[in-house]
Amino acid sequence: MMRFGVVIFPASNCDRDCVHVLRTVLGQEVEEVWHEEQSLDGLDAVVLPGGFAYGDYLRAGAVAARAPVMAAVRAFAQVGGPVLGICNGFQILLEAGMLPGAMLRNAVLRFRCTMVHVRVESTQTPFTRTLREGQVLQMPIAHGEGNYFAPGSLLSTIEEAGQIVLRYCDAGGRVNHGANPNGSVRNVAGVRNPAGNVVGLMPHPERASEDVLGSGDGRLLFESVIMWLETRKRSLVGA
Amino acid sequence: MPIYRIIIELKPGVLDAQGQAVHQGLRALGYETISGVRVGKCIEITVPDQTARDEIDAMCERFLANPLIEEWWIERDQDRDGTGRSRVPVLPRSQGS
Amino acid sequence: MTTATLAPESVGLTREEYEEIRRRLGRDPSPLELRMFGVMWSEHCGYKHSKLTLQLLPTDSPRLLQGPGENAGVLDIGGGWAVAFKMESHNHPSAVDPFNGAATGVGGIIRDILAMGARPIALVDSLRFGPLHETRSRRQAAGVIAGIAAYGNCVGIPTVAGELVTDPGYRGTPLVNVACVGLVRHRELARSRAAGPGNPVMLVGARTGRDGIGGAAFASEELDTASEREDRASVQIGDPFAGKLLIEATVDALRTGGVVAVQDLGAAGLTCASSEMAARGGVGMRLELELVPLREEEMRPDEILLSESQERMLLVVMPEAAERVASIYCRWGLRADVVGEVTGGPLLTVLRAGAPIVSLPPYALAEAPVYRPAAREPETLHARWAMPEVSQTDPAQALLALLAAPAVAVKRVAFEQYDHMVQVRTVVAPGAGDAAVLRLPELSPKGLALVCDGDGRLTSLDPYRGARRAVAEAAANLACVGATPLGLTDCLNFGSPENPEVFWTFRQAVTGIADACRAMKIPVVGGNVSFYNESPDGPVLPTPVITMVGVLEDVSSTCGAGFRRADDMIILIGKTDPDLAASFYVSAVHGMHAGRPADVDFDAHQRVLAVVRDAVARGWLSSAHDCSEGGAAIAVAECAALGGLGAEVILPAAPRADIALFGEAPSRFVLSLPEHRLRDFQALAAARSVPLTILGRIGGDRLRLAASTDHRWAIDLPLAEIAAAYDALSSIL
């Protein structure tokens, strides 16, 4: 059993959902990490949940990215700890400079909550290790600022480095304009850092982790990181 | 205490969907000669007398704006005396300038 | 401010009411006190004209833990858990400022649920506007939807069900009714009865500013167009971020067990909360104005006492808990200030610089006088029952027009703007079934079903029957997802009660709701009356809105409305004598509200509902949808559009094709099921003497409907055209 930290910022609102899935659905240990926390000692993985941290009043994620806990999250990531930012958590990781790019308002200028399909583009992360490239997942999105943007040169760099983790696609896995719910450049739905241990995505895997809610695909991401952590633990013990 | 007004806009080249929508709305109202609309935000800060403009720039760069997608202008307002506000923008600033 | 006299009329009171105040106080009220009376005795706070009529509504239920008279009603759902819910209107603020009016409406109803100690788990919204091809109505609709989204999404409460109806009768008087549902453990149920002299009174949440001064009085005035601009100052601005913090902090604070009473600060702010809490508890309260944290300088006492600044609540706490409660709010970045204390003497006293500036019995403020307004049947009522000659139009065109009407069309454009999935409970999403279904992991596999229904058109034609139809339809919607009604909350939207025809209509509608609830044994556990919905065009279309909550024993067996499988059989159950009188078809296609609506036979209704519910619970049905606006043809078309499957259907014969297709009658359902279930289902229906007609089969990519057995399709349209019409709202809003 692994020990997950779910960070709670003021006005995080998917924190309880992430705790529910990790604890009740997947049987993991979960610690709720307050935004003023300075240490993440004893955690195996960290989740930054969705919501409207600090109201998102300046820019989505901007204030939260400067919260005390983020120094600890950065340190945790620097030593290879897996960090997953979901929706607002992704925005926070971008604002914190832990992932490349920025978020603009949805091209439709509206909040959008709907089920989408995404295609796995990179399996070089703890969260997608057990998936295969090209695999199509069904998960919901719910955001007003999920229009991923990176200037041309940065975009080429991250594309070439394989840092795109998920792209919006249709049910058949085709990445096209019609499948893009928010105007994201090249349908980007999720990215990773060069090392691969920090991942941000706009879709909500925790809302797609139980069949009764319409999809169980999101659970695959959590199961992947659990397996990755178990393998790492075994190899450490073995060494 | 002086008041500075920071105006933040999306950089040219970054899709300003709000600006486009407002532009369309103005056209629909008959203002057809308008050739461009940008939507941004304005932040007013009240600072101690001796605050250097560089310091305000640093605030923008580190927090108030996202230099990857946004640029900003800083205007100094006259001290509040009820006579109105400065409307003259000072030097445009953007990342790298 | 300190002028010795203030005319009662200037604060919205009559001479008689002023005399009543003098009688209750035994002296003249001070100008400040008179302002407080003016707001507390407004219709919005005081329910002067509606109180006696509302007593008709039945509240008894073996599950009742809290009926009307508190911040929300509460019903037991087993396992030590209860559900708290209430619906409220925010019509006037939303007419003036659609975005902020709707957003603060959401904030307010959430705090009512929170004040019962419940964690809010869902929002339901019922919206009515003028025709959307008119710019003003379209802007109102777009602003209201965006406002609900802005608040609800940020605080993380899913908006899971709702209505969107347009009619010229709402032009200038849009209706914005929002309900909130919360979950609470019995032992954590909170109430608003102040108690314990010496207990500190704490004001928690946001600071007090000059927001919405006199908003409650404003809500009771008739709107004219000029007021839309001038009244802007009395519209409050919500802060959903603070609202979210207030939810978390208050849930934590109530868990300490040190909170004696709690109430939301809404209309009339501190005045209302303090006087109602003291009056309910039969105690007094002393407030010190200097202790109230202010957002603006130099606020006058009346501004502080009547401010409607959002995101505030008033708590009575045990002295030993005060510090702990304050530290909880502080942890969430909110203020919690002791502003006074509970006193033994029966007086509400407000001190400024140590000197009393208000001193009166709380009940005197909190219990407005009760009126028996004159009532008169509208002169034109019977004339409206006469059915004019209606020409037959092209059925296919009529079908597409009805599908595209906002009342029928899919509300994707609204629900996609609402986060309807947060809290991971949503099993049947908005639009996917006749009611939303939320699972309750606390009581797994149980679930809750939520729906709201109202029909201003039917109510204007026959208020008694229209109201009964609304209650019946809400229960029918719940049956389609397999849920049994638990209770309801209502929002009654009418014009001026001082107009005898409006008041008669109101009383008939309340009587209708009451009789329907008695027939179905459903308690009314709370609600809201919104009078004075008047514009220069006259009173609003009379619109009682019902939000009904139901319980499912097992959410995994629930059922959606869309067709699911090719080759499934399509069935119509319920009586098959549809009528064009008062139908949506006559209204939307022929432009007339005419005819007398059919009444509900509640004995038959209950039997049909039991059949549908049983069949859903047994997992026999693939889809279930009730026939409402647009009759059987529209019900079938909706099922086809939702499921993306075509069908061939022959409807029971009627004197005219349009009657068979679009005629309406209560208690009818379109169901689909696999053929091997048909025999069992027929037996189930027969056992309860419920009529059943096999309509046809699912399949293909066209929708074909015949109105008789002459094998000529009255309607034969490609599914894509049906789907496009059904999604018409997406290109309008």
Side-chain angles (χ1 to χ4, degrees), chain C residues 251-441:
Chain C
V251 167
D252 285 354
L254 291 174
R255 290 237 164 94
T256 64
V259 178
V260 177
V262 52
Q263 176 147 333
D264 162 43
L265 266 72
L270 206 44
T271 299
C272 181
S274 58
S275 61
E276 285 190 356
M277 289 176 86
R280 282 175 190 157
V283 294
M285 199 178 276
R286 194 182 64 237
L287 302 176
E288 293 181 44
L289 279 191
E290 285 77 11
L291 300 177
V292 176
L294 304 179
R295 205 179 63 214
E296 296 168 66
E297 288 165 22
E298 293 169 18
M299 284 180 66
R300 298 190 317 248
D302 63 321
E303 291 176 325
I304 298 170
L305 289 169
L306 296 174
S307 162
E308 295 185 358
S309 290
Q310 299 288 296
E311 287 84 33
R312 298 180 301 159
M313 296 180 93
L314 200 63
L315 269 52
V316 172
V317 299
M318 295 176 192
E320 61 275 19
E323 207 169 311
R324 170 127 173 69
V325 167
S327 74
I328 288 170
Y329 282 93
C330 179
R331 180 173 187 262
W332 285 101
L334 296 171
R335 297 190 65 104
D337 299 87
V338 174
V339 296
E341 65 174 30
V342 176
T343 57
L347 281 180
L348 174 66
T349 312
V350 180
L351 302 177
R352 186 195 196 189
I357 52 170
V358 172
S359 182
L360 37 76
Y363 85 88
L365 261 182
E367 281 164 36
V370 171
Y371 296 139
R372 286 176 196 277
R376 190 179 63 237
E377 186 180 297
E379 269 175 33
T380 57
L381 190 69
H382 288 271
R384 279 183 265 158
W385 290 350
M387 266 303 283
E389 197 56 37
V390 171
S391 60
Q392 292 225 49
T393 51
D394 173 33
Q397 288 314 308
L399 181 101
L400 293 173
L402 291 171
L403 272 179
V408 174
V410 68
K411 280 71 166 173
R412 192 167 67 89
V413 64
F415 289 128
E416 281 197 3
Q417 289 185 65
Y418 306 145
D419 188 340
H420 53 263
M421 303 180 189
V422 64
Q423 297 199 22
V424 290
R425 294 180 183 275
T426 314
V427 173
V428 175
D434 271 31
V437 175
L438 303 178
R439 65 170 177 166
L440 296 171

Side-chain angles (χ1 to χ4, degrees), chain C residues 601-640:
Chain C
D601 169 352
F602 276 100
D603 171 58
H605 192 64
Q606 290 283 63
R607 282 185 283 114
V608 186
L609 261 50
V611 169
V612 174
R613 222 166 18 230
D614 279 4
V616 172
R618 293 176 197 207
W620 292 353
L621 300 185
S622 306
S623 72
H625 187 29
D626 90 315
C627 295
S628 56
E629 285 102 341
I634 289 297
V636 170
E638 288 179 84
C639 297

Side-chain angles (χ1 to χ4, degrees), chain A residues 8-14 16-17 20 34-35 52-55 57 110-115 140 142 206-207 210 212-213, chain C residues 119 153-156 239-241 244-245 331-332 412-413 415-427 439 555 733:
Chain A
I8 302 176
F9 297 99
S12 290
N13 67 25
C14 303
R16 293 159 55 85
D17 300 355
H20 162 79
W34 191 238
H35 61 113
F52 288 75
Y54 299 91
Y57 284 154
R110 280 181 177 158
F111 191 96
R112 277 202 83 182
C113 176
T114 186
M115 197 61 111
E206 82 282 11
R207 297 185 184 186
E210 293 159 274
V212 69
L213 301 179
Chain C
R119 176 176 277 280
N153 295 354
C154 182
V155 298
D239 175 358
F241 173 49
K244 169 66 173 167
L245 303 180
R331 180 173 187 262
W332 285 101
R412 192 167 67 89
V413 64
F415 289 128
E416 281 197 3
Q417 289 185 65
Y418 306 145
D419 188 340
H420 53 263
M421 303 180 189
V422 64
Q423 297 199 22
V424 290
R425 294 180 183 275
T426 314
V427 173
R439 65 170 177 166
V555 287
L733 281 176

Side-chain angles (χ1 to χ4, degrees), chain C residues 516-543:
Chain C
C517 287
R518 284 210 177 80
M520 302 185 74
K521 297 190 171 57
I522 301 171
V524 181
V525 297
N528 165 247
V529 180
S530 174
F531 280 137
Y532 299 101
N533 293 287
E534 303 251 352
S535 74
D537 297 341
V540 71
L541 214 52
T543 310

Side-chain angles (χ1 to χ4, degrees), chain A:
Chain A
M1 188 162 52
M2 296 301 148
R3 195 164 167 77
F4 282 78
V6 174
V7 180
I8 302 176
F9 297 99
S12 290
N13 67 25
C14 303
D15 47 326
R16 293 159 55 85
D17 300 355
C18 289
V19 170
H20 162 79
V21 168
L22 289 165
R23 190 179 282 159
T24 314
V25 179
L26 293 159
Q28 304 299 303
E29 255 185 85
V30 183
E31 189 181 317
E32 296 174 17
V33 180
W34 191 238
H35 61 113
E36 288 165 338
E37 201 63 55
Q38 314 238 342
S39 154
L40 299 175
D41 287 350
L43 296 181
D44 296 305
V46 171
V47 176
L48 305 188
F52 288 75
Y54 299 91
D56 278 351
Y57 284 154
L58 179 63
R59 288 182 308 282
V63 180
R66 280 99 183 152
V69 74
M70 287 309 292
V73 172
R74 194 173 276 118
F76 181 80
Q78 264 156 11
V79 296
V83 175
L84 179 66
I86 301 167
C87 195
N88 195 222
F90 183 13
Q91 295 164 337
I92 293 167
L93 290 171
L94 292 171
E95 279 284 345
M98 293 176 65
L99 288 174
M103 284 299 175
L104 299 171
R105 288 185 65 173
N106 292 351
V108 286
L109 291 178
R110 280 181 177 158
F111 191 96
R112 277 202 83 182
C113 176
T114 186
M115 197 61 111
V116 298
H117 292 95
V118 288
R119 194 175 75 185
V120 177
E121 301 287 306
S122 165
T123 55
Q124 301 304 304
T125 84
F127 303 96
T128 53
R129 174 133 315 202
T130 58
L131 283 68
R132 55 183 166 70
E133 260 179 51
Q135 189 170 344
V136 176
L137 308 175
Q138 201 183 20
M139 291 190 273
I141 54 162
H143 58 247
E145 290 182 47
N147 180 354
Y148 181 80
F149 176 81
S153 55
L154 178 62
L155 189 62
S156 332
T157 311
I158 59 178
E159 291 248 28
E160 280 157 27
Q163 284 180 250
I164 313 287
V165 178
L166 300 173
R167 285 186 215 267
Y168 300 108
C169 65
D170 63 17
R174 287 172 294 269
V175 173
N176 53 34
H177 180 71
N180 189 335
N182 52 27
S184 285
V185 63
R186 304 215 187 135
N187 284 38
V188 171
V191 300
R192 64 173 174 88
N193 65 347
N197 63 316
V198 178
V199 171
L201 44 124
M202 288 316 289
H204 286 269
E206 82 282 11
R207 297 185 184 186
S209 290
E210 293 159 274
D211 295 336
V212 69
L213 301 179
S215 170
D217 290 353
R219 198 170 57 226
L220 302 175
L221 302 182
F222 296 117
E223 285 169 349
S224 173
V225 70
I226 292 166
M227 194 172 288
W228 183 87
L229 287 166
E230 281 166 354
T231 311
R232 188 178 68 165
K233 208 160 254 187
R234 269 199 303 275
S235 70
L236 285 176
V237 171

